[in-house]
Amino acid sequence: MKVYIDKQVIETASGSFYKAIGKGQEAIVEFEDFELLRNGFSPKQIWQMNRNSGGKLH
């Protein structure tokens, strides 16, 4: 993966390109939750699901 900060462009390992909009914000996601992130859940949604389930969703 490559990140072109000056152009706000991200290139993935598979060759896809994404244009970042805005400054964004920092988030911490545990490795076990990475697939949830890849499936479209936001870090906030993942945190809430883990909290509501009394632990990990896995």
Side-chain angles (χ1 to χ4, degrees):
M1 181 172 92
K2 296 179 185 176
V3 178
Y4 304 96
I5 295 174
D6 57 325
K7 296 179 182 178
Q8 292 184 272
V9 172
I10 300 163
E11 181 181 0
T12 66
S14 64
S16 296
F17 287 88
Y18 295 90
K19 174 76 174 161
I21 299 172
K23 292 185 179 188
Q25 59 191 115
E26 187 174 327
I28 296 172
V29 177
E30 293 190 31
F31 184 75
E32 298 92 31
D33 294 326
F34 188 69
E35 283 300 318
L36 293 171
L37 191 65
R38 287 182 51 138
N39 283 298
F41 291 97
S42 72
K44 184 177 181 179
Q45 289 172 314
I46 294 169
W47 179 82
Q48 289 173 335
M49 287 188 290
N50 283 332
R51 191 182 88 182
N52 291 337
S53 70
K56 293 289 172 201
L57 297 172
H58 318 285

